[in-house]
Amino acid sequence: MTRPNFDLSGRRALVTGASRGIGQAIAAALAEAGADVAITARTVEALEETRALVERTGRRCAALAQDVRDVEACGSVTKAAAEHLGGLDILINNAGFESVRTSFDVDEALWDQILSTNLKGAFFCAQAAGRIMAETGGGAIVNLCSLTSYVGIPTAVPYGASKSGLLGVTHALAAEWAAHNVRVNAIAPGYFRTAMTEVFYENDDWQSRMLDKIPQRRFGRESDIGGVAVFLCSDAAAYITGHCIPVDGGYLASI
């Protein structure tokens, strides 16, 4: 039997929303696995810590400013990342936005901000990366979905709509782009304590109730995500496309 190959040496990756949290952890994991990594956030200054983590592994890093709500920038920044790295083999669609609000209080501006960031932006980044990959022999795209891709979460209707839509995008692109040797998969993080979700974790009662629903009885750590991303981008996952892997401590399996 041939052993699975998780090595990403020689691969060129782009990670959106990489200034902190899950995006930062994935960028560092890809670099540790051997990939050169381009990272984006709304400002280059916000990327300094992530750049240092990537360069500490000895891999090349390009830091680029990007607002994924700008469709034109999705194309131009993806192209710039490929030019900096000498090609593009991997895209991690991680940039995201959430704002906790009851559904009665959701206005059009919030709806558009969340959907434009999490769904529209992710699609057009994938489109730009997919074009490059299709022309150069293939690649791997990983979208960051959510538990809300599967279950309803109160006060998260726009976010759930965006992440459910992103799961649909994952399925459809995987079916369409297999002919170009472009694999499209997703990761659905469970409850991870990040800057975006900190508002929940400030409530001790909420923490206790959530832990009771997670079979592993702990919240996710950023280190729990990197290995899954590396796997999906590596040759070990060469025959996997159109799937979403929950990283949730058993939450979905137990409800």
Side-chain angles (χ1 to χ4, degrees), residues 44 59 134 161 171 209 218:
V44 172
R59 307 313 308 168
H171 292 156
R209 284 186 282 109
R218 70 171 177 87

Side-chain angles (χ1 to χ4, degrees), residues 221-247:
R221 308 182 186 106
E222 291 171 6
S223 59
D224 293 321
I225 286 285
V228 182
V230 169
F231 164 66
L232 288 174
C233 295
S234 74
D235 291 342
Y239 200 51
I240 298 174
T241 194
H243 291 281
C244 182
I245 299 179
V247 183

Side-chain angles (χ1 to χ4, degrees), residues 10 12 36 60 79-89 132 136:
R12 290 74 50 98
D36 294 323
R60 290 183 297 155
K79 182 179 178 181
E83 290 173 349
H84 277 285
L85 300 179
L88 190 65
D89 309 290
I132 294 170
T136 56

Side-chain angles (χ1 to χ4, degrees), residues 13 61 74 84 89 115 137 151 160 168 197 210 212 217 225 227 230-231:
C61 184
C74 290
H84 277 285
D89 309 290
L115 272 290
V151 298
T197 61
M210 283 301 104
D212 284 342
R217 293 297 186 269
I225 286 285
V230 169
F231 164 66

Side-chain angles (χ1 to χ4, degrees), residues 34-150:
D36 294 323
V37 185
I39 51 178
T40 78
R42 280 176 290 180
T43 67
V44 172
E45 291 74 20
L47 293 164
E48 287 308 308
E49 183 177 300
T50 308
R51 186 208 295 266
L53 289 173
V54 171
E55 291 180 342
R56 194 176 301 162
T57 68
R59 307 313 308 168
R60 290 183 297 155
C61 184
L64 304 166
Q66 178 186 28
D67 184 342
V68 297
R69 294 174 297 175
D70 182 339
V71 171
E72 184 177 347
C74 290
S76 61
V77 172
T78 301
K79 182 179 178 181
E83 290 173 349
H84 277 285
L85 300 179
L88 190 65
D89 309 290
I90 294 166
L91 168 67
I92 307 293
N93 255 326
N94 173 73
F97 176 75
E98 165 66 314
S99 178
V100 177
R101 198 177 297 184
T102 71
S103 297
F104 290 126
D105 294 323
V106 172
D107 56 22
E108 184 179 8
L110 179 64
W111 179 274
D112 289 346
Q113 183 177 11
I114 293 175
L115 272 290
S116 292
T117 303
N118 301 352
L119 183 57
K120 185 174 78 172
F123 170 75
F124 282 103
C125 285
Q127 182 189 69
R131 282 195 176 114
I132 294 170
M133 294 173 185
E135 292 172 357
T136 56
I141 295 173
V142 177
N143 296 319
L144 267 293
C145 286
S146 162
L147 294 183
T148 63
S149 300
Y150 297 97

